[in-house]
């Protein structure tokens, strides 16, 4: 799979790996998530509600004032 500018897309594989080792209470933080939005949404759909968005961190300084836009996730 190629992403922007022909670079390999690593996000799907990385998310799939951490999904196998993450336990309830563990966090996944996806930086620069705007360009990874499609991969992130696909992962969340396949994860069957195992993760929740933690707005305590994404919105700590205002709505989505972070490079991890809507992508600080906690395993349920």
């Amino acid at each position: 799979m190629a992403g922007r500018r022909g670079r390999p897309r690593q996000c799907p594989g990385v998310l799939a790996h951490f999904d196998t080792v993450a336990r309830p209470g563990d966090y996944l933080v996806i930086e620069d998530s705007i360009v990874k939005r499609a991969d992130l949404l696909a992962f969340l759909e396949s994860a069957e509600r195992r993760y929740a968005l933690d707005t305590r961190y994404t919105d700590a300084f205002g709505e989505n004032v972070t490079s991890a836009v809507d992508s600080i996730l906690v395993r349920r």
Side-chain angles (χ1 to χ4, degrees):
M1 288 186 283
R4 295 177 62 198
R5 299 186 202 129
R7 294 181 189 153
R9 285 181 29 220
Q10 297 174 335
C11 191
V14 171
L15 290 171
H17 168 73
F18 280 105
D19 188 39
T20 65
V21 296
R23 300 290 174 249
D26 287 349
Y27 277 81
L28 294 177
V29 179
I30 298 89
E31 294 283 333
D32 302 323
S33 56
I34 291 174
V35 297
K36 301 169 188 162
R37 191 82 171 156
D39 293 334
L40 181 57
L41 292 175
F43 167 73
L44 291 173
E45 286 178 12
S46 70
E48 300 175 353
R49 303 180 60 93
R50 286 190 298 274
Y51 295 88
L53 175 63
D54 194 334
T55 56
R56 173 181 48 178
Y57 294 115
T58 59
D59 299 342
F61 301 103
E63 187 174 340
N64 281 316
V65 180
T66 176
S67 65
V69 174
D70 286 336
S71 60
I72 298 178
L73 309 172
V74 61
R75 176 81 185 243
R76 294 179 188 201

